[in-house]
Amino acid sequence: MALQLGDTAPDFEIESTDGTIKFHDWLGNSWGVLFSHPKDFTPVCTTELGYTAKLKSEFDKRDVKVIGLSVDPLEDHHKWLGDIEETQGTAVNFPMIADPDRKVATLYGMIHPNADNTLTVRAAYIIGPDKKIKLYVMYPASTGRNFDEILRVIDSLQLTAEHMVATPVNWRHGDDVIIVPSLSNEDAKEKFPEGWKELKPYLRMVADPKNKA
Ligand code: BEZ
């Protein structure tokens, strides 16, 4: 069965541009983003990798380790990284997995034969410190992903993990958030002593707890 939210992200050992990676050990206690792209030396992928590299300080701030993957061999990755630096103005600063045998691609269901029989789709997985899959998205080869959205989801997931709040439609850091329904009013009083705005008993809005930080 395909991987689902809440499943443990499968562990693997594989070669990457940073050497051999044992995935769970490499993640340690950090959050992770594992993303695949269809092919080296292709235009959309080139822009995605450059942009993701530029977000390094944002990922670091959130204690997130990023790792890319395609089914190309390691020597192609190394050659292509030079092109990315040249055209995108930044060096790729995260490991790229070489998966020519489709070991990880198969484990994660990144090949969708009715879209393309051999190449990976644009998959992205956010993995929590508990190694559980918190989000996955699958994009077609022709559409570059929005990595700002990946960061936004990480912000939301981390808020939920730390503060028992959920985030409403189109939420951005700093906007009001929602007290999770599983938290009783009694317990919410302890967590949010300054109170909240109750629009409905199930819709309790409170300021973003990170605004205080
Ligand atoms: C690209 O990255 O530009 C791309 C890769 C595979 C198919 C189409 C586009």
Side-chain angles (χ1 to χ4, degrees):
M1 198 171 80
L3 288 175
Q4 297 186 326
L5 298 188
D7 290 354
T8 298
D11 198 12
F12 54 80
E13 182 172 337
I14 199 150
E15 288 310 307
S16 83
T17 49
D18 286 5
T20 305
I21 287 200
K22 289 184 178 179
F23 188 50
H24 282 194
D25 291 349
W26 177 82
L27 282 169
N29 294 320
S30 299
W31 290 72
V33 171
L34 166 65
F35 71 106
S36 63
H37 64 87
K39 188 122 195 73
D40 290 2
F41 305 106
T42 51
V44 177
C45 302
T46 299
T47 62
E48 284 192 333
L49 266 66
Y51 191 79
T52 305
K54 284 180 186 152
L55 291 178
K56 179 170 172 43
S57 63
E58 295 298 324
F59 286 115
D60 286 350
K61 246 195 268 177
R62 294 161 175 84
D63 190 25
V64 180
K65 292 186 172 177
V66 174
I67 189 163
L69 173 148
S70 78
V71 295
D72 300 279
L74 202 52
E75 66 181 278
D76 282 6
H77 280 355
H78 281 299
K79 281 187 210 141
W80 183 39
L81 294 187
D83 290 0
I84 296 170
E85 184 166 2
E86 182 190 327
T87 61
Q88 306 303 303
T90 188
V92 172
N93 44 29
F94 50 85
M96 288 289 302
I97 292 168
D99 191 20
D101 298 331
R102 298 166 176 72
K103 182 170 135 184
V104 179
T106 304
L107 207 51
Y108 277 78
M110 291 167 169
I111 293 182
H112 295 195
N114 291 328
D116 190 301
N117 219 2
T118 52
L119 306 179
T120 46
V121 294
R122 291 187 196 286
Y125 300 83
I126 298 176
I127 298 159
D130 57 0
K131 312 286 184 293
K132 304 283 186 205
I133 296 175
K134 307 293 183 187
L135 165 136
Y136 61 84
V137 288
M138 302 282 171
Y139 273 47
S142 51
T143 306
R145 287 157 289 194
N146 184 335
F147 283 83
D148 296 326
E149 170 64 4
I150 299 284
L151 279 176
R152 191 189 75 93
V153 177
I154 291 167
D155 283 344
S156 170
L157 288 165
Q158 292 186 343
L159 268 181
T160 305
E162 289 163 35
H163 298 284
M164 297 196 77
V165 293
T167 54
V169 60
N170 291 346
W171 174 84
R172 306 228 44 109
H173 175 61
D175 293 348
D176 285 354
V177 297
I178 294 167
I179 300 173
V180 294
S182 60
L183 195 69
S184 68
N185 277 346
E186 202 170 76
D187 291 339
K189 271 180 209 155
E190 271 185 40
K191 258 192 144 343
F192 307 102
E194 286 151 27
W196 57 86
K197 192 162 41 166
E198 184 167 304
L199 303 176
K200 289 282 176 191
Y202 58 84
L203 183 52
R204 298 168 294 173
M205 306 300 296
V206 70
D208 180 343
K210 291 224 166 142
N211 280 352
K212 291 183 200 155

mmCIF file of all heavy atoms in Angstrom, residues 20-39:
data_model
loop_
_atom_site.group_PDB
_atom_site.id
_atom_site.type_symbol
_atom_site.label_atom_id
_atom_site.label_comp_id
_atom_site.label_asym_id
_atom_site.label_seq_id
_atom_site.Cartn_x
_atom_site.Cartn_y
_atom_site.Cartn_z
ATOM 1 N N THR A 20 27.743 8.292 1.700
ATOM 2 C CA THR A 20 26.674 7.336 2.018
ATOM 3 C C THR A 20 25.779 7.905 3.116
ATOM 4 O O THR A 20 26.271 8.442 4.110
ATOM 5 C CB THR A 20 27.296 6.009 2.520
ATOM 6 O OG1 THR A 20 28.219 5.554 1.536
ATOM 7 C CG2 THR A 20 26.235 4.953 2.746
ATOM 8 N N ILE A 21 24.480 7.763 2.908
ATOM 9 C CA ILE A 21 23.525 8.281 3.907
ATOM 10 C C ILE A 21 22.667 7.144 4.428
ATOM 11 O O ILE A 21 22.063 6.389 3.654
ATOM 12 C CB ILE A 21 22.661 9.394 3.266
ATOM 13 C CG1 ILE A 21 23.537 10.630 3.114
ATOM 14 C CG2 ILE A 21 21.387 9.661 4.082
ATOM 15 C CD1 ILE A 21 22.866 11.931 2.953
ATOM 16 N N LYS A 22 22.661 7.017 5.760
ATOM 17 C CA LYS A 22 21.684 6.137 6.414
ATOM 18 C C LYS A 22 20.588 7.080 6.866
ATOM 19 O O LYS A 22 20.815 7.879 7.800
ATOM 20 C CB LYS A 22 22.311 5.435 7.621
ATOM 21 C CG LYS A 22 23.317 4.388 7.231
ATOM 22 C CD LYS A 22 23.810 3.692 8.495
ATOM 23 C CE LYS A 22 24.785 2.598 8.118
ATOM 24 N NZ LYS A 22 25.310 1.903 9.285
ATOM 25 N N PHE A 23 19.441 7.011 6.255
ATOM 26 C CA PHE A 23 18.474 8.106 6.318
ATOM 27 C C PHE A 23 18.064 8.470 7.750
ATOM 28 O O PHE A 23 18.152 9.631 8.151
ATOM 29 C CB PHE A 23 17.255 7.754 5.464
ATOM 30 C CG PHE A 23 16.289 8.893 5.301
ATOM 31 C CD1 PHE A 23 16.726 10.151 4.904
ATOM 32 C CD2 PHE A 23 14.935 8.716 5.537
ATOM 33 C CE1 PHE A 23 15.840 11.209 4.731
ATOM 34 C CE2 PHE A 23 14.032 9.766 5.364
ATOM 35 C CZ PHE A 23 14.485 11.009 4.969
ATOM 36 N N HIS A 24 17.635 7.496 8.537
ATOM 37 C CA HIS A 24 17.154 7.826 9.891
ATOM 38 C C HIS A 24 18.285 8.378 10.761
ATOM 39 O O HIS A 24 18.081 9.318 11.520
ATOM 40 C CB HIS A 24 16.503 6.604 10.554
ATOM 41 C CG HIS A 24 15.115 6.345 10.046
ATOM 42 N ND1 HIS A 24 14.238 5.493 10.679
ATOM 43 C CD2 HIS A 24 14.441 6.825 8.971
ATOM 44 C CE1 HIS A 24 13.085 5.463 10.016
ATOM 45 N NE2 HIS A 24 13.187 6.252 8.968
ATOM 46 N N ASP A 25 19.474 7.802 10.615
ATOM 47 C CA ASP A 25 20.618 8.316 11.388
ATOM 48 C C ASP A 25 20.938 9.746 10.946
ATOM 49 O O ASP A 25 21.247 10.614 11.760
ATOM 50 C CB ASP A 25 21.871 7.460 11.173
ATOM 51 C CG ASP A 25 21.723 6.082 11.809
ATOM 52 O OD1 ASP A 25 20.756 5.883 12.570
ATOM 53 O OD2 ASP A 25 22.571 5.213 11.519
ATOM 54 N N TRP A 26 20.870 9.959 9.640
ATOM 55 C CA TRP A 26 21.177 11.294 9.089
ATOM 56 C C TRP A 26 20.172 12.332 9.600
ATOM 57 O O TRP A 26 20.555 13.466 9.933
ATOM 58 C CB TRP A 26 21.172 11.211 7.566
ATOM 59 C CG TRP A 26 21.400 12.509 6.870
ATOM 60 C CD1 TRP A 26 22.601 13.112 6.619
ATOM 61 C CD2 TRP A 26 20.402 13.383 6.326
ATOM 62 N NE1 TRP A 26 22.399 14.310 5.957
ATOM 63 C CE2 TRP A 26 21.076 14.493 5.765
ATOM 64 C CE3 TRP A 26 19.004 13.332 6.251
ATOM 65 C CZ2 TRP A 26 20.389 15.542 5.138
ATOM 66 C CZ3 TRP A 26 18.328 14.370 5.632
ATOM 67 C CH2 TRP A 26 19.018 15.460 5.089
ATOM 68 N N LEU A 27 18.895 11.927 9.705
ATOM 69 C CA LEU A 27 17.875 12.864 10.209
ATOM 70 C C LEU A 27 18.111 13.203 11.684
ATOM 71 O O LEU A 27 17.877 14.340 12.105
ATOM 72 C CB LEU A 27 16.469 12.248 10.071
ATOM 73 C CG LEU A 27 15.830 12.254 8.688
ATOM 74 C CD1 LEU A 27 14.574 11.376 8.695
ATOM 75 C CD2 LEU A 27 15.488 13.670 8.239
ATOM 76 N N GLY A 28 18.578 12.210 12.442
ATOM 77 C CA GLY A 28 18.743 12.424 13.886
ATOM 78 C C GLY A 28 17.424 12.850 14.500
ATOM 79 O O GLY A 28 16.375 12.253 14.217
ATOM 80 N N ASN A 29 17.453 13.913 15.293
ATOM 81 C CA ASN A 29 16.216 14.388 15.933
ATOM 82 C C ASN A 29 15.612 15.579 15.193
ATOM 83 O O ASN A 29 14.733 16.259 15.724
ATOM 84 C CB ASN A 29 16.487 14.789 17.387
ATOM 85 C CG ASN A 29 16.875 13.580 18.208
ATOM 86 O OD1 ASN A 29 16.308 12.506 18.044
ATOM 87 N ND2 ASN A 29 17.869 13.737 19.079
ATOM 88 N N SER A 30 16.115 15.838 13.995
ATOM 89 C CA SER A 30 15.629 17.003 13.238
ATOM 90 C C SER A 30 14.369 16.659 12.451
ATOM 91 O O SER A 30 14.019 15.497 12.269
ATOM 92 C CB SER A 30 16.703 17.451 12.244
ATOM 93 O OG SER A 30 17.869 17.838 12.927
ATOM 94 N N TRP A 31 13.718 17.699 11.958
ATOM 95 C CA TRP A 31 12.689 17.536 10.941
ATOM 96 C C TRP A 31 13.411 17.291 9.607
ATOM 97 O O TRP A 31 14.605 17.629 9.479
ATOM 98 C CB TRP A 31 11.855 18.810 10.835
ATOM 99 C CG TRP A 31 10.979 19.073 12.019
ATOM 100 C CD1 TRP A 31 11.384 19.477 13.253
ATOM 101 C CD2 TRP A 31 9.554 18.935 12.083
ATOM 102 N NE1 TRP A 31 10.291 19.610 14.090
ATOM 103 C CE2 TRP A 31 9.163 19.287 13.391
ATOM 104 C CE3 TRP A 31 8.579 18.561 11.158
ATOM 105 C CZ2 TRP A 31 7.826 19.266 13.803
ATOM 106 C CZ3 TRP A 31 7.255 18.545 11.567
ATOM 107 C CH2 TRP A 31 6.881 18.887 12.871
ATOM 108 N N GLY A 32 12.690 16.736 8.641
ATOM 109 C CA GLY A 32 13.313 16.488 7.342
ATOM 110 C C GLY A 32 12.394 16.824 6.184
ATOM 111 O O GLY A 32 11.162 16.768 6.319
ATOM 112 N N VAL A 33 13.008 17.207 5.063
ATOM 113 C CA VAL A 33 12.275 17.305 3.793
ATOM 114 C C VAL A 33 13.031 16.450 2.788
ATOM 115 O O VAL A 33 14.219 16.686 2.529
ATOM 116 C CB VAL A 33 12.191 18.759 3.273
ATOM 117 C CG1 VAL A 33 11.613 18.783 1.851
ATOM 118 C CG2 VAL A 33 11.342 19.622 4.198
ATOM 119 N N LEU A 34 12.348 15.426 2.289
ATOM 120 C CA LEU A 34 12.897 14.570 1.236
ATOM 121 C C LEU A 34 12.112 14.884 -0.036
ATOM 122 O O LEU A 34 10.887 14.805 -0.022
ATOM 123 C CB LEU A 34 12.707 13.098 1.627
ATOM 124 C CG LEU A 34 12.914 12.048 0.523
ATOM 125 C CD1 LEU A 34 14.361 12.016 0.032
ATOM 126 C CD2 LEU A 34 12.515 10.650 1.043
ATOM 127 N N PHE A 35 12.825 15.299 -1.084
ATOM 128 C CA PHE A 35 12.077 15.599 -2.316
ATOM 129 C C PHE A 35 12.760 15.007 -3.536
ATOM 130 O O PHE A 35 13.988 14.966 -3.628
ATOM 131 C CB PHE A 35 11.819 17.106 -2.463
ATOM 132 C CG PHE A 35 13.012 17.954 -2.788
ATOM 133 C CD1 PHE A 35 13.177 18.471 -4.064
ATOM 134 C CD2 PHE A 35 13.960 18.263 -1.824
ATOM 135 C CE1 PHE A 35 14.256 19.287 -4.378
ATOM 136 C CE2 PHE A 35 15.053 19.063 -2.128
ATOM 137 C CZ PHE A 35 15.202 19.575 -3.402
ATOM 138 N N SER A 36 11.926 14.517 -4.440
ATOM 139 C CA SER A 36 12.450 13.931 -5.675
ATOM 140 C C SER A 36 12.179 14.872 -6.832
ATOM 141 O O SER A 36 11.262 15.692 -6.794
ATOM 142 C CB SER A 36 11.768 12.586 -5.952
ATOM 143 O OG SER A 36 10.387 12.763 -6.148
ATOM 144 N N HIS A 37 13.018 14.750 -7.849
ATOM 145 C CA HIS A 37 12.768 15.481 -9.087
ATOM 146 C C HIS A 37 13.024 14.520 -10.236
ATOM 147 O O HIS A 37 13.716 13.507 -10.068
ATOM 148 C CB HIS A 37 13.638 16.735 -9.161
ATOM 149 C CG HIS A 37 15.082 16.443 -9.210
ATOM 150 N ND1 HIS A 37 15.762 16.197 -10.375
ATOM 151 C CD2 HIS A 37 15.992 16.298 -8.230
ATOM 152 C CE1 HIS A 37 17.017 15.943 -10.107
ATOM 153 N NE2 HIS A 37 17.191 15.984 -8.821
ATOM 154 N N PRO A 38 12.447 14.793 -11.400
ATOM 155 C CA PRO A 38 12.462 13.765 -12.453
ATOM 156 C C PRO A 38 13.840 13.461 -13.044
ATOM 157 O O PRO A 38 14.148 12.297 -13.271
ATOM 158 C CB PRO A 38 11.529 14.334 -13.525
ATOM 159 C CG PRO A 38 10.703 15.364 -12.838
ATOM 160 C CD PRO A 38 11.543 15.913 -11.736
ATOM 161 N N LYS A 39 14.633 14.488 -13.279
ATOM 162 C CA LYS A 39 15.839 14.183 -14.059
ATOM 163 C C LYS A 39 16.866 15.299 -13.907
ATOM 164 O O LYS A 39 16.507 16.469 -13.821
ATOM 165 C CB LYS A 39 15.416 14.070 -15.544
ATOM 166 C CG LYS A 39 16.455 13.597 -16.479
ATOM 167 C CD LYS A 39 16.064 12.331 -17.248
ATOM 168 C CE LYS A 39 17.268 11.669 -17.900
ATOM 169 N NZ LYS A 39 18.154 11.002 -16.927
#
